[in-house]
Amino acid sequence: MSRYVHQRWLEGNDAPVPVVSIAQGRDGFIWLATGDGLYRFDGLRFERIDAEVPLKNDAPSALLATRSGGIWVAFESSHRFGVYRNGALRLMKGPPAPDRVVSMAEGKDGAVWALTANYNAQVVRLKDGASRVFDARDGLPESNASHLLVAGDGTLWVAASEGAAWLRPGEDRFKVLNAGLPTRLSRDAQGAIWASDRTGTYALPADPDRSTVAAFSPRYPTDELDVRGMPVFDRKGNLWVVTRYQGVRRYQAVSSEYPLQAPAETLTTQEGLSSDIVHAIFEDREGNVWIGTEGGLDRLREAAFVREPSLASPARFGDKLLAAHDGTVYIGQANTVFRVPAHGVPEPIIENIVEPEALCESAQGSVWVVLRTEVLAWSERAPLRRLQRPDLEARHNIAYDCAFDAKGGFWLSSAGGGVHVLRKGQWQKVFDAGSHAATYPTTLTSTPNGGIAFQSGERLIRYESGRMSTTPLRFGGSPPKVLTLQTTEGHLYAAGAFGLTRLDDKEGVTAWTPDITPASRINGLAQTSGGDMWVTYPRMLARISKEELEQAFAKGRLQPPGFSLGRGDGLASRAHSHSQRALVMGGDGRLWIATQTGTLWLDPAALENSDVAPGVSITALRDGTNVHRDPVSVKLPAATSKVEIDYAVLTFSDPQRAQVKYRLQGFDQDWVHPGQRRQAFYTNLTPGNYRFEVMAANSDGAWTPAAASLDFDIPKTFFQTGWFPLLCLAATLLVLYALHRLHLRQTSNQIRTRLEERNAERERIARELHDTLLQGVMGLVLRFQAVANTMPRETPVARKLDSALVAADAVVTEARNSVHDLRGADEGEDLLTTLKRIAAETAFSPPVSVRLLIEGRPRRLHPLVAEEIAKIVKEGLLNIAHHAQASEVEIAVDYASRHLAVRLRDDGVGIPEDVLEQGRKAGHFGLVGMRERAERIGGILNIISVRGDGVELTLLLPGKLAYGERHARKAGWWKRIFGRESND
């Protein structure tokens, strides 16, 4: 089992227990029948599924995923069946099973077969709503049965404690094989049926009527096991057997050439199994093996990375790796250096040492090992040489790296000790480290030109052809770190968290990592002869094709790798950060990687890229109130603005590295990449039709051929329909109209109040004049008249006095007329009579015809309004008489219900344009006075003049002002604002 990646979910980690049955739906979900209920699992979350009509204290006992996509569930206590389809688990109509169902299978005709846990085997056939029960009367053994299955030809097989029974399609009676012998049955990838009994596991003959099994049939040695349930063949032919109390056994595939196998590999609680009491085992479509136990759920996947048992002592600061020119790989661990020949296994060559710090190879093939105080030179053809290190006096003299130049010089980089070279047995210091750690030399390698290059802080220093050169190193704004320097396939590379630089010239070219983080650090490179590059990141090993590599350097951007391997493939820990070259490639093509827990190897040629695209399922749509499970098309409540969409990416090989993208058409501009999140959240949604789409790819880059989609509709509320703004517009217009009417009424009342105040004031003045001045003058006139009567008539004094009395009478008459004017127009004279009188009194020279037109029913006007109108008309007639040269004049009065209009027209020469623009003629105030009178009574005076075609003067007054009555009946507020008040 060491070559399998094992993952488990225990009861304390939200896993339901015990797991008694496992199935995989057509959509990719792993379904679990457990003591806690029915669950489906997407690799990250366990989701409980309850029936629409819940069954209390009734756990599922068996599962079946049918070809049509339905999930059949048998319930333990009620013996009823349920089917999960279209987002709901519904109980089936019809009679329950005779007893607890322990196994179900689907026939080639779509019928569902169910096996009960009766002491005498009973099988139920369910098809199109009808059911039939088979028992001993139909040929079944009178014994307990454990499971059933359907062969490739459609034959139904039942495994029982006293043999195996089978029923051919179309027949009604079972036949029994191995009568009296406890038998378990399984089916291989080709559809053949295998039997497991006390003699082992063997393939049954193609013709079940043959009661004996050929002695040369390949067998698995399962004879000593207490087999529980149905054994399972995986896609590679390995047999998996679950036991009652001994965990799981795995037997490698057998053939007719190798009929017997060595003892099986074992997986128990000692190896990490969740429990030794195993109930079920199942292989999914990706080749993962699932094990259901009393204590939880386990998953096994064949690992791509292999750990050699002999490499059991990883170095404290990381294993040191070296790929020699002959294809041999050397591994320096805590106390041993191993050699791994091509296609071989590790073998120790130097033992009992302490922590190798660097490995390098000379041109002659000897391996040099740098230790804390000395350097060892190992060769298969010569004894081990020991050389004392030249930097023992230096502080911080940890050896970072070593290499040989083209002339055979051995170069050693040792941080605070600087860089030394060994030539002809003599050490020479070529680079002083200085006193600052930032300039210490670190990684070192030979260059394609046969020289040496090493890192010193932010510089790359080269010694080539006897000359030293310096190249600045760029880190993309991140702090300087120790880089990986490596020469491969004729190129010098520098790698780190920033990306990858190819230093073929002085400046080099860099492919930058889009997001520089600790997880983006590269600390191992290996390039194939074809140009593909393998790189190690902290959490994965990635492959960059030659085309992708060249494109990355051309664009200056290192895209996420298209192919990578990680924890799900057996890379249990991170590549070691202190191994300057955490990755090498051997002559056999195997990749060796130094991790935190030791060195692993991987054979790229043996990798099987999975072309099984992951299933994608939209599991729920939540609108804040309702949860729609497995939705396809949903109409949400009006006014919904926030939704949560849950989806599952159903790949179990390495779900952490699955790629996901989704979008909401009508909202998202582009695909959204959510990483490990399996929910999409949307807010501020407006009414409309939306389609949510989600796609996924497995860790090998196989994308789903079509997106899983969900259509949902958010209806408009009344406030969001087109009627609402129209209603708001109408309401606004109505309010504006009401405000206008209210303003008009208030203005009318104010003007009316002012008119009444003016009228009262005029009447007061008239009374005062009449009662004081006029009466006093009259008294004086009478006294003077009395005096005049006593004087002789012919005297000059008498004549003068009579003349004065005549003048006094004229003054009194004029005073009476003024008092009359102050008291208002003649109560007995209406507007029409007044206008006729004014027209008759106007002196036209030559005479002009004046017509008076009446529209509507004449009504009594407010006295002051009538007076002002008369004065405006009088002024207009005088202007016509003096300036218009008219031959005809027309006065029209329109008694409308809502307004009073008085129009004065003539056919004269019109008013000059400059007079109209200025509103008056210089030195004249007739037009100004007319406008002032109109404004004083709340009216509007419009003057239209056409040169040579006369003038039309229009006075327009609201009816409320013109016809106002002082004691009108008070109306309701709505009528006062909107309605019409009668003025009759």
Side-chain angles (χ1 to χ4, degrees):
M1 296 290 184
S2 61
R3 293 196 177 186
Y4 282 85
V5 179
H6 179 206
Q7 188 175 7
R8 66 181 183 176
W9 294 267
L10 303 177
E11 182 177 10
N13 298 326
D14 297 329
V17 294
V19 178
V20 299
S21 183
I22 307 173
Q24 185 173 29
R26 189 173 64 179
D27 55 7
F29 275 105
I30 296 295
W31 288 81
L32 306 172
T34 77
D36 293 330
L38 177 65
Y39 285 82
R40 66 179 182 182
F41 184 49
D42 64 0
L44 299 175
R45 297 172 299 177
F46 293 93
E47 181 184 7
R48 182 184 174 95
I49 304 296
D50 291 316
E52 285 189 331
V53 180
L55 297 173
K56 294 184 178 180
N57 195 27
D58 201 357
S61 59
L63 293 174
L64 171 65
T66 63
R67 293 186 293 272
S68 64
I71 303 296
W72 282 62
V73 186
F75 289 94
E76 183 174 4
S77 300
S78 65
H79 308 157
R80 298 187 65 180
F81 296 95
V83 178
Y84 183 88
R85 187 182 288 116
N86 299 328
L89 176 61
R90 298 179 177 90
L91 298 177
M92 294 184 61
K93 298 179 181 179
D99 209 326
R100 178 172 65 93
V101 173
V102 294
S103 179
M104 291 190 290
E106 183 181 17
K108 297 192 72 173
D109 61 351
V112 172
W113 297 87
L115 175 67
T116 69
N118 198 304
Y119 287 107
N120 293 321
Q122 291 179 309
V123 175
V124 182
R125 183 181 186 272
L126 300 158
K127 183 75 162 65
D128 298 330
S131 65
R132 176 185 172 182
V133 178
F134 294 80
D135 53 21
R137 291 169 294 183
D138 302 293
L140 283 170
E142 291 183 326
S143 65
N144 188 20
S146 62
H147 60 274
L148 53 74
L149 53 82
V150 177
D153 62 358
T155 299
L156 176 68
W157 287 85
V158 178
S161 60
E162 295 186 5
W166 81 91
L167 179 68
R168 292 186 182 276
E171 296 183 354
D172 292 329
R173 187 168 184 80
F174 283 87
K175 297 179 182 180
V176 178
L177 179 71
N178 290 351
L181 191 64
T183 304
R184 298 291 184 263
L185 299 173
S186 54
R187 173 182 168 178
D188 64 18
Q190 290 71 41
I193 302 301
W194 291 65
S196 299
D197 57 29
R198 65 187 57 166
T199 67
T201 298
Y202 50 89
L204 294 176
D207 184 2
D209 290 319
R210 295 173 59 186
S211 59
T212 61
V213 180
F216 57 81
S217 296
R219 294 173 180 267
Y220 293 90
T222 60
D223 48 299
E224 298 297 330
L225 296 179
D226 183 9
V227 179
R228 182 175 189 175
M230 182 172 63
V232 170
F233 282 95
D234 66 23
R235 62 184 60 192
K236 292 187 176 181
N238 302 309
L239 178 65
W240 298 76
V241 179
V242 297
T243 68
R244 192 172 299 274
Y245 299 112
Q246 299 170 296
V248 178
R249 299 291 188 273
R250 173 185 174 272
Y251 297 86
Q252 292 186 2
V254 299
S255 65
S256 58
E257 297 161 0
Y258 302 98
L260 296 176
Q261 292 290 319
E265 294 178 286
T266 302
L267 180 64
T268 65
T269 53
Q270 292 183 352
E271 289 79 31
L273 188 65
S274 57
S275 174
D276 286 335
I277 303 175
V278 182
H279 299 288
I281 189 166
F282 174 80
E283 184 187 28
D284 67 20
R285 64 187 61 164
E286 295 176 278
N288 299 289
V289 175
W290 298 83
I291 303 170
T293 75
E294 190 73 16
L297 179 68
D298 296 75
R299 181 185 68 87
L300 296 173
R301 179 176 184 239
E302 195 168 3
F305 294 90
V306 179
R307 182 184 302 277
E308 291 290 346
S310 58
L311 300 177
S313 302
R316 178 178 161 190
F317 293 103
D319 291 352
K320 300 301 182 285
L321 306 181
L322 170 65
H325 291 87
D326 63 355
T328 302
V329 171
Y330 293 89
I331 303 170
Q333 288 210 306
N335 50 26
T336 306
V337 176
F338 293 88
R339 176 179 65 176
V340 187
H343 306 289
V345 296
E347 54 188 42
I349 57 172
I350 304 175
E351 297 181 283
N352 300 320
I353 58 175
V354 178
E355 288 285 336
E357 296 183 357
L359 299 179
C360 51
E361 181 193 19
S362 71
Q364 293 75 31
S366 60
V367 176
W368 291 54
V369 182
V370 181
L371 302 177
R372 190 73 181 88
T373 61
E374 61 182 344
V375 178
L376 306 180
W378 178 88
S379 174
E380 203 170 17
R381 299 178 299 274
L384 186 67
R385 291 176 56 197
R386 296 178 181 270
L387 296 91
Q388 187 176 12
R389 283 178 53 173
D391 56 352
L392 297 180
E393 301 298 326
R395 298 181 61 188
H396 310 298
N397 64 335
I398 297 174
Y400 265 93
D401 224 332
C402 64
F404 283 84
D405 62 23
K407 295 181 179 180
F410 173 72
W411 293 68
L412 175 63
S413 167
S414 61
V419 177
H420 293 76
V421 61
L422 178 68
R423 297 188 190 277
K424 298 179 181 181
Q426 299 295 321
W427 287 104
Q428 178 186 357
K429 189 172 188 179
V430 295
F431 181 81
D432 186 76
S435 59
H436 298 288
T439 61
Y440 285 175
T442 52
T443 49
L444 177 146
T445 186
S446 59
T447 67
N449 297 329
I452 294 294
F454 61 88
Q455 179 189 1
S456 172
E458 300 182 58
R459 300 175 300 164
L460 178 71
I461 299 176
R462 303 192 205 202
Y463 283 88
E464 294 176 321
S465 302
R467 299 180 61 185
M468 186 187 81
S469 62
T470 300
T471 301
L473 294 171
R474 295 181 294 172
F475 294 84
S478 62
K481 297 287 186 180
V482 176
L483 301 180
T484 295
L485 291 180
Q486 192 161 330
T487 297
T488 177
E489 296 298 318
H491 299 287
L492 173 61
Y493 291 95
F498 66 88
L500 186 62
T501 299
R502 187 161 62 191
L503 294 156
D504 289 342
D505 52 28
K506 185 174 178 60
E507 295 299 327
V509 57
T510 300
W512 297 97
T513 299
D515 185 18
I516 300 176
T517 65
S520 68
R521 184 193 176 193
I522 298 173
N523 70 329
L525 306 171
Q527 194 167 19
T528 67
S529 58
D532 291 348
M533 178 79 77
W534 289 87
V535 297
T536 56
Y537 292 96
R539 298 175 183 170
M540 64 180 173
L541 175 66
R543 182 180 63 198
I544 306 172
S545 68
K546 180 180 179 181
E547 293 74 17
E548 291 173 334
L549 186 63
E550 294 304 322
Q551 190 176 36
F553 284 126
K555 293 184 176 180
R557 184 179 178 87
L558 190 62
Q559 296 291 349
F563 177 81
S564 61
L565 302 168
R567 176 175 291 274
D569 303 289
L571 188 61
S573 62
R574 297 177 299 161
H576 208 296
S577 59
H578 289 95
S579 296
Q580 284 70 43
R581 295 177 188 83
L583 181 69
V584 297
M585 177 178 286
D588 55 6
R590 285 187 293 176
L591 294 168
W592 295 80
I593 178 171
T595 73
Q596 298 283 349
T597 56
T599 298
L600 309 175
W601 65 264
L602 163 78
D603 186 1
L607 292 176
E608 296 180 2
N609 290 346
S610 174
D611 57 358
V612 179
V616 180
S617 177
I618 299 173
T619 59
L621 171 64
R622 307 173 192 273
D623 58 23
T625 304
N626 304 309
V627 178
H628 307 273
R629 194 185 298 278
D630 294 351
V632 176
S633 180
V634 179
K635 185 173 183 180
L636 297 176
T640 299
S641 62
K642 298 188 295 184
V643 298
E644 175 190 337
I645 303 174
D646 299 342
Y647 57 89
V649 178
L650 303 169
T651 177
F652 302 99
S653 296
D654 196 353
Q656 299 293 336
R657 293 193 295 120
Q659 302 177 61
V660 187
K661 61 181 180 180
Y662 67 75
R663 67 181 175 185
L664 182 61
Q665 293 185 7
F667 191 90
D668 291 323
Q669 298 296 321
D670 201 355
W671 290 96
V672 177
H673 298 268
Q676 296 301 313
R677 181 164 46 84
R678 296 295 181 262
Q679 297 91 21
F681 302 93
Y682 290 96
T683 59
N684 300 322
L685 293 178
T686 58
N689 296 315
Y690 295 92
R691 166 165 282 199
F692 178 77
E693 296 180 327
V694 58
M695 300 182 70
N698 64 13
S699 57
D700 292 328
W703 284 91
T704 50
S709 62
L710 160 65
D711 296 308
F712 62 91
D713 174 45
I714 302 177
K716 294 180 179 179
T717 63
F718 173 73
F719 300 103
Q720 295 169 322
T721 62
W723 290 106
F724 180 68
L726 291 178
L727 183 62
C728 290
L729 178 61
T732 301
L733 294 176
L734 190 61
V735 170
L736 292 175
Y737 176 73
L739 293 175
H740 169 70
R741 295 280 299 177
L742 181 62
H743 174 70
L744 186 61
R745 176 173 293 278
Q746 291 175 345
T747 303
S748 300
N749 291 337
Q750 292 173 359
I751 294 175
R752 182 182 301 168
T753 300
R754 290 200 301 269
L755 290 176
E756 290 175 351
E757 291 174 351
R758 287 177 55 200
N759 192 47
E761 181 65 15
R762 289 167 61 122
E763 289 178 350
R764 185 189 68 78
I765 294 173
R767 285 194 303 271
E768 293 296 330
L769 289 176
H770 180 273
D771 296 341
T772 57
L773 180 62
L774 185 58
Q775 292 296 334
V777 171
M778 286 293 297
L780 290 175
V781 170
L782 290 176
R783 288 187 180 186
F784 282 118
Q785 185 64 50
V787 174
N789 290 337
T790 60
M791 296 178 64
R793 295 288 182 185
E794 299 301 329
T795 62
V797 175
R799 288 195 296 270
K800 290 182 180 180
L801 186 58
D802 287 338
S803 177
L805 288 172
V806 171
D809 287 338
V811 171
V812 170
T813 301
E814 186 175 356
R816 284 198 180 99
N817 291 336
S818 296
V819 170
H820 182 271
D821 290 341
L822 285 172
R823 285 190 171 276
D826 190 349
E827 294 290 335
E829 186 177 65
D830 59 14
L831 178 63
L832 301 182
T833 303
T834 302
L835 295 180
K836 288 179 181 180
R837 177 177 54 78
I838 293 173
E841 292 175 354
T842 303
F844 289 98
S845 181
V848 173
S849 172
V850 179
R851 290 186 303 164
L852 183 64
L853 302 179
I854 304 299
E855 297 178 15
R857 181 172 62 85
R859 306 167 71 173
R860 175 174 291 280
L861 305 183
H862 191 285
L864 293 182
V865 171
E867 181 181 352
E868 296 294 346
I869 292 174
K871 291 180 178 179
I872 292 172
V873 172
K874 182 176 180 179
E875 181 66 26
L877 291 174
L878 289 175
N879 286 338
I880 293 172
H882 295 158
H883 308 292
Q885 304 175 21
S887 60
E888 287 187 1
V889 176
E890 179 182 284
I891 302 173
V893 181
D894 181 9
Y895 290 96
S897 61
R898 290 178 172 270
H899 66 268
L900 172 69
V902 180
R903 297 180 181 87
L904 182 63
R905 304 187 187 96
D906 68 71
D907 60 352
V909 297
I911 301 175
E913 292 183 3
D914 58 336
V915 175
L916 281 177
E917 290 177 1
Q918 296 178 7
R920 65 174 185 169
K921 186 177 181 180
H924 296 260
F925 299 94
L927 292 177
V928 175
M930 294 167 69
R931 292 185 188 278
E932 290 176 348
R933 290 183 185 278
E935 291 175 0
R936 198 155 48 230
I937 58 176
I940 299 174
L941 184 67
N942 292 322
I943 300 175
I944 300 174
S945 174
V946 179
R947 194 66 176 170
D949 197 25
V951 176
E952 178 177 306
L953 181 148
T954 302
L955 174 63
L956 192 64
L957 282 88
K960 299 291 183 181
L961 297 176
Y963 312 133
E965 298 180 0
R966 298 185 183 183
H967 304 290
R969 179 178 58 86
K970 189 173 183 179
W973 66 267
W974 59 91
K975 290 185 178 181
R976 293 200 304 271
I977 296 177
F978 298 108
R980 298 182 181 181
E981 295 182 21
S982 175
N983 294 294
D984 296 338

Coordinates of all heavy atoms in Angstrom, one line a residue, residues 277-313:
I277 N -13.1 -2.6 10.9 CA -14.4 -3.2 10.6 C -14.9 -2.5 9.3 O -15.3 -1.3 9.3 CB -15.4 -2.9 11.7 CG1 -14.9 -3.5 13.0 CG2 -16.8 -3.5 11.4 CD1 -15.8 -3.2 14.2
V278 N -14.8 -3.2 8.2 CA -15.0 -2.6 6.9 C -16.4 -3.1 6.4 O -16.7 -4.3 6.4 CB -13.9 -3.0 5.9 CG1 -14.2 -2.3 4.5 CG2 -12.6 -2.6 6.5
H279 N -17.2 -2.2 5.8 CA -18.5 -2.5 5.3 C -18.6 -2.5 3.8 O -19.4 -3.3 3.2 CB -19.6 -1.5 5.9 CG -19.7 -1.5 7.3 ND1 -20.3 -2.5 8.0 CD2 -19.3 -0.6 8.3 CE1 -20.3 -2.3 9.3 NE2 -19.7 -1.1 9.5
A280 N -17.9 -1.7 3.1 CA -18.1 -1.5 1.7 C -16.8 -1.0 1.1 O -15.9 -0.4 1.7 CB -19.2 -0.5 1.4
I281 N -16.6 -1.4 -0.2 CA -15.5 -0.9 -1.0 C -16.0 -0.6 -2.4 O -16.9 -1.3 -2.9 CB -14.3 -2.0 -1.0 CG1 -13.1 -1.4 -1.6 CG2 -14.7 -3.2 -1.7 CD1 -11.8 -2.2 -1.4
F282 N -15.4 0.4 -3.0 CA -16.0 0.9 -4.3 C -14.9 1.6 -5.1 O -14.0 2.3 -4.5 CB -17.1 1.8 -4.1 CG -17.7 2.5 -5.3 CD1 -18.6 1.8 -6.1 CD2 -17.3 3.8 -5.6 CE1 -19.1 2.4 -7.2 CE2 -17.8 4.4 -6.8 CZ -18.7 3.7 -7.6
E283 N -14.8 1.4 -6.4 CA -13.9 2.1 -7.3 C -14.7 3.1 -8.2 O -15.6 2.7 -8.8 CB -13.1 1.2 -8.2 CG -12.0 1.9 -9.0 CD -11.3 1.0 -10.1 OE1 -12.0 0.1 -10.5 OE2 -10.2 1.3 -10.4
D284 N -14.2 4.4 -8.1 CA -15.0 5.4 -8.9 C -14.4 5.4 -10.3 O -13.5 4.7 -10.7 CB -14.9 6.7 -8.2 CG -13.5 7.4 -8.2 OD1 -12.7 7.0 -9.0 OD2 -13.3 8.3 -7.3
R285 N -15.0 6.3 -11.2 CA -14.6 6.3 -12.6 C -13.2 6.9 -12.8 O -12.7 6.7 -13.9 CB -15.6 7.2 -13.3 CG -15.6 8.7 -12.9 CD -16.8 9.4 -13.5 NE -18.1 8.9 -13.1 CZ -19.2 9.6 -13.3 NH1 -19.2 10.8 -13.8 NH2 -20.3 9.1 -12.9
E286 N -12.6 7.5 -11.8 CA -11.2 8.0 -12.0 C -10.2 7.0 -11.4 O -9.0 7.2 -11.5 CB -11.0 9.3 -11.2 CG -11.8 10.5 -11.8 CD -11.7 11.7 -10.9 OE1 -12.4 11.8 -9.9 OE2 -10.9 12.6 -11.3
G287 N -10.7 5.9 -10.9 CA -9.7 4.9 -10.4 C -9.5 5.0 -8.9 O -8.6 4.2 -8.4
N288 N -10.1 5.9 -8.2 CA -10.0 6.0 -6.8 C -10.7 4.8 -6.1 O -11.8 4.5 -6.5 CB -10.5 7.3 -6.2 CG -9.8 8.5 -6.8 OD1 -8.6 8.8 -6.5 ND2 -10.5 9.3 -7.7
V289 N -10.1 4.3 -5.1 CA -10.8 3.2 -4.3 C -11.3 3.8 -3.0 O -10.5 4.4 -2.2 CB -9.8 2.1 -4.0 CG1 -10.4 1.0 -3.1 CG2 -9.3 1.4 -5.3
W290 N -12.6 3.6 -2.8 CA -13.3 4.2 -1.6 C -13.6 3.0 -0.6 O -14.1 2.0 -1.1 CB -14.5 4.9 -2.0 CG -14.3 6.1 -2.8 CD1 -14.1 6.1 -4.2 CD2 -14.2 7.5 -2.4 NE1 -13.9 7.4 -4.6 CE2 -13.9 8.2 -3.6 CE3 -14.2 8.1 -1.2 CZ2 -13.8 9.6 -3.5 CZ3 -14.1 9.5 -1.1 CH2 -13.8 10.2 -2.3
I291 N -13.4 3.2 0.6 CA -13.6 2.2 1.6 C -14.5 2.8 2.7 O -14.2 3.8 3.3 CB -12.3 1.7 2.2 CG1 -11.3 1.2 1.1 CG2 -12.5 0.6 3.3 CD1 -9.9 0.9 1.6
G292 N -15.6 2.1 3.0 CA -16.5 2.6 4.0 C -16.4 1.7 5.2 O -16.5 0.4 5.1
T293 N -16.1 2.3 6.4 CA -15.8 1.5 7.6 C -16.8 2.0 8.7 O -17.6 2.9 8.6 CB -14.4 1.7 8.0 OG1 -14.2 3.0 8.6 CG2 -13.4 1.5 6.9
E294 N -16.6 1.3 9.8 CA -17.3 1.7 11.0 C -16.9 3.0 11.5 O -17.7 3.7 12.2 CB -17.1 0.6 12.1 CG -18.0 0.7 13.3 CD -19.4 0.3 13.0 OE1 -19.7 -0.4 12.0 OE2 -20.3 0.6 13.8
G295 N -15.7 3.5 11.2 CA -15.2 4.7 11.8 C -15.1 5.9 10.8 O -14.8 7.0 11.2
G296 N -15.4 5.7 9.5 CA -15.4 6.8 8.6 C -15.3 6.3 7.2 O -15.7 5.3 6.8
L297 N -14.6 7.2 6.4 CA -14.5 7.0 4.9 C -13.1 7.1 4.5 O -12.4 8.1 4.9 CB -15.4 8.0 4.2 CG -15.4 7.9 2.6 CD1 -16.0 6.6 2.1 CD2 -16.1 9.1 2.0
D298 N -12.5 6.2 3.7 CA -11.1 6.2 3.3 C -11.1 6.3 1.7 O -12.0 5.7 1.1 CB -10.4 5.0 3.7 CG -10.3 4.9 5.3 OD1 -11.3 4.6 5.9 OD2 -9.2 5.2 5.8
R299 N -10.1 7.0 1.2 CA -9.9 7.0 -0.2 C -8.4 6.6 -0.5 O -7.5 7.2 0.1 CB -10.2 8.4 -0.8 CG -10.0 8.4 -2.4 CD -10.2 9.8 -2.9 NE -9.2 10.8 -2.4 CZ -8.0 10.9 -3.0 NH1 -7.7 10.3 -4.1 NH2 -7.1 11.8 -2.5
L300 N -8.2 5.8 -1.5 CA -6.9 5.4 -1.9 C -6.7 5.7 -3.4 O -7.6 5.4 -4.2 CB -6.6 3.9 -1.7 CG -6.6 3.4 -0.2 CD1 -6.6 1.9 -0.2 CD2 -5.5 4.0 0.5
R301 N -5.6 6.3 -3.8 CA -5.3 6.5 -5.2 C -3.8 6.2 -5.4 O -2.9 6.5 -4.6 CB -5.5 8.0 -5.5 CG -5.2 8.3 -6.9 CD -5.5 9.8 -7.3 NE -5.3 10.1 -8.7 CZ -4.4 11.0 -9.1 NH1 -3.7 11.7 -8.3 NH2 -4.3 11.2 -10.4
E302 N -3.6 5.5 -6.5 CA -2.2 5.1 -6.8 C -1.4 6.3 -7.0 O -1.7 7.3 -7.7 CB -2.2 4.3 -8.1 CG -0.9 3.5 -8.3 CD -1.0 2.5 -9.4 OE1 -2.0 2.4 -10.0 OE2 0.0 1.8 -9.6
A303 N -0.2 6.4 -6.3 CA 0.6 7.6 -6.2 C 1.5 7.6 -7.4 O 2.0 6.5 -7.9 CB 1.4 7.6 -4.9
A304 N 1.8 8.8 -7.9 CA 2.8 9.0 -9.0 C 4.2 9.0 -8.4 O 5.2 8.6 -9.0 CB 2.5 10.3 -9.7
F305 N 4.4 9.5 -7.1 CA 5.7 9.6 -6.5 C 5.9 8.3 -5.6 O 5.0 7.8 -5.0 CB 5.7 10.8 -5.6 CG 5.7 12.1 -6.3 CD1 4.4 12.7 -6.6 CD2 6.8 12.7 -6.8 CE1 4.4 13.9 -7.3 CE2 6.8 13.9 -7.5 CZ 5.5 14.5 -7.7
V306 N 7.1 7.9 -5.7 CA 7.5 6.6 -5.0 C 8.6 6.9 -4.0 O 9.5 7.7 -4.3 CB 8.0 5.6 -6.0 CG1 8.4 4.3 -5.2 CG2 7.0 5.3 -7.0
R307 N 8.4 6.4 -2.8 CA 9.4 6.5 -1.7 C 10.1 5.2 -1.6 O 9.5 4.2 -1.3 CB 8.7 6.9 -0.4 CG 9.7 7.1 0.8 CD 9.0 7.4 2.1 NE 8.1 8.6 1.9 CZ 8.6 9.8 2.1 NH1 9.8 10.1 2.3 NH2 7.7 10.8 2.0
E308 N 11.4 5.3 -1.8 CA 12.2 4.1 -1.6 C 12.4 3.8 -0.1 O 12.8 4.7 0.6 CB 13.6 4.2 -2.3 CG 13.5 4.3 -3.8 CD 13.2 2.9 -4.4 OE1 13.2 1.9 -3.7 OE2 12.8 2.9 -5.6
P309 N 12.2 2.5 0.3 CA 12.3 2.2 1.7 C 13.7 2.5 2.3 O 13.9 2.8 3.5 CB 12.0 0.7 1.8 CG 11.2 0.4 0.5 CD 11.7 1.4 -0.5
S310 N 14.8 2.4 1.4 CA 16.1 2.6 2.0 C 16.5 4.0 2.2 O 17.4 4.3 3.0 CB 17.2 2.0 1.0 OG 17.0 2.6 -0.3
L311 N 15.7 4.9 1.6 CA 15.9 6.4 1.9 C 15.1 6.8 3.1 O 14.2 7.6 3.0 CB 15.6 7.2 0.6 CG 16.3 6.8 -0.7 CD1 15.8 7.6 -1.8 CD2 17.8 7.0 -0.5
A312 N 15.5 6.3 4.2 CA 14.7 6.5 5.4 C 15.3 7.6 6.4 O 14.7 7.8 7.4 CB 14.6 5.2 6.2
S313 N 16.4 8.2 6.0 CA 17.1 9.2 6.9 C 17.3 10.5 6.2 O 18.4 10.9 5.8 CB 18.4 8.7 7.5 OG 18.2 7.4 8.1

